[in-house]
Amino acid sequence: MMKKVTIQVPATSANCGPGFDTLGLACTLYNEVTYEITDTKGFQLSVTGEGADYLKPFGRNLAFASFLRVWNKAANSQRIGLKVTMHNRIPMSRGLGSSSSAIVAGLYAANCLCGNYYTKDELLGIATDIEGHPDNVAPAIYGGFTISYMDNGKAHSLRLLPARPLKFIAVVPDSKLPTVLARQAIPANIAHKDAVFNTSRASLLVGALLSGNYQYLGAALEDKLHQPYRAHLIPGLGDVFAAAKEAGAYNAIISGAGSTVMAYAAPEADCQAIAEAMVRAFAAKGEHCVYHILDLDTDGVKAI
Ligand code: HSE
């Protein structure tokens, strides 16, 4: 049996504007995680990059817990020592799928070491069970854009690739936004007219991506299901959206539950100018940010 594997897992951006808990995409910002089975019992963890100052080698750390979820089933709970070495580029609690990336990396690593015991579709079910919703774990597993849904408690996902390339400008504030807080901000019920608004936008988004008619993306990325209720948690959000559009982006959205704001732009757009305009709009509200100009990741998680 193989005892060591290195996994590359992409950052993800869930919701994509109107597709709350449904749409997601994988992008070209990666964590690399090496899992090694050791003779010394217990957990060892070494982290560089994001989370290096506070991730600890506890069994409840997602990196270990998710690995063991597959290992205990596929290797009959055989007791092992586990050494995990992470090089993390995905910022934590910023809406770029860092917890999903940890879950998917752990599940995938154990699955590789156990001779691909589960299919990717089965891993989606386990990952969704851990994460609570499928919209980040699905693109981390499959790559591309994903449309996910739950049916009788089981997660399913349709992966698609857009007809033409797109650029994603992720502007990441220093301030974290815990998902649990951002989910509490959303009301239990919404008006029927807002449901109609979002149905039209989400449908238009999928159609625009598949057909390459990106002139619809400005309207297609609008949302009334979660962004208006979360706006107060991201000071300056409206100005950041406006700055992105003014600098040439199709539109911008809250990435996942935030705090990252992601603009969608044509490859020929001046992505640096869009990023800098968004950073300036955040700075006007006292928020320092970094930015990443990204492409779509089409592979999802893989062993490297
Ligand atoms: N769909 C989720 C949300 C993504 O917006 O809360 C973050 O986990």
Side-chain angles (χ1 to χ4, degrees):
M1 180 196 265
M2 221 164 64
K3 288 195 154 181
K4 184 174 174 180
V5 66
T6 298
I7 303 298
Q8 174 182 283
V9 61
T12 56
S13 178
N15 303 328
C16 303
F20 182 74
D21 276 2
T22 301
L23 300 180
L25 64 85
C27 50
T28 52
L29 181 71
Y30 300 100
N31 284 355
E32 279 135 26
V33 193
T34 300
Y35 281 84
E36 186 174 1
I37 294 171
T38 63
D39 296 331
T40 326
K41 297 278 182 279
F43 300 122
Q44 299 172 63
L45 179 67
S46 147
V47 185
T48 56
E50 301 288 340
D53 44 351
Y54 58 87
L55 287 175
K56 297 280 180 279
F58 296 134
R60 64 175 183 276
N61 175 324
L62 283 174
F64 297 102
S66 57
F67 182 96
L68 292 176
R69 183 80 176 253
V70 168
W71 179 266
N72 286 340
K73 177 79 179 160
N76 292 320
S77 301
Q78 184 189 329
R79 283 181 59 79
I80 48 165
L82 196 55
K83 183 176 169 192
V84 177
T85 308
M86 305 179 118
H87 181 52
N88 290 342
R89 298 187 190 88
I90 307 172
M92 296 184 169
S93 297
R94 304 305 209 298
L96 286 169
S98 64
S99 65
S100 291
S101 72
I103 292 166
V104 168
L107 297 178
Y108 197 77
N111 207 45
C112 285
L113 297 181
C114 294
N116 295 319
Y117 183 86
Y118 289 114
T119 64
K120 275 195 170 183
D121 291 353
E122 288 170 330
L123 292 180
L124 173 68
I126 303 169
T128 302
D129 190 38
I130 300 171
E131 176 75 342
H133 36 87
D135 53 341
N136 275 115
V137 291
I141 291 172
Y142 301 112
F145 272 91
T146 51
I147 306 167
S148 302
Y149 64 99
M150 301 298 294
D151 188 28
N152 279 324
K154 188 170 174 342
H156 302 267
S157 194
L158 171 65
R159 169 185 181 271
L160 63 89
L161 294 179
R164 294 192 287 124
L166 265 174
K167 287 288 196 186
F168 306 100
I169 299 124
V171 175
V172 185
D174 284 354
S175 299
K176 295 181 177 182
L177 181 45
T179 299
V180 63
L181 193 73
R183 289 183 84 82
Q184 279 166 9
I186 296 171
N189 299 296
I190 59 153
H192 192 271
K193 66 177 173 29
D194 289 345
V196 172
F197 182 97
N198 265 62
T199 305
S200 66
R201 283 359 184 237
S203 306
L204 189 62
L205 177 55
V206 173
L209 293 173
L210 283 176
S211 65
N213 283 317
Y214 291 169
Q215 73 268 26
Y216 291 109
L217 286 181
L221 290 166
E222 293 172 342
D223 165 70
K224 288 196 177 180
L225 205 49
H226 72 111
Q227 292 187 168
Y229 304 105
R230 289 171 162 173
H232 68 286
L233 299 170
I234 307 175
L237 184 69
D239 294 343
V240 178
F241 285 175
K245 284 194 268 190
E246 198 166 311
Y250 292 119
N251 207 339
I253 48 96
I254 300 177
S255 181
S259 53
T260 292
V261 176
M262 183 174 275
Y264 289 42
E268 57 275 16
D270 187 343
C271 293
Q272 185 130 350
I274 294 168
E276 285 167 5
M278 294 167 74
V279 167
R280 274 197 303 276
F282 263 126
K285 300 288 177 196
E287 183 67 60
H288 177 264
C289 299
V290 297
Y291 66 83
H292 305 278
I293 297 171
L294 304 168
D295 296 301
L296 190 70
D297 166 89
T298 54
D299 292 343
V301 66
K302 60 184 177 187
I304 54 172

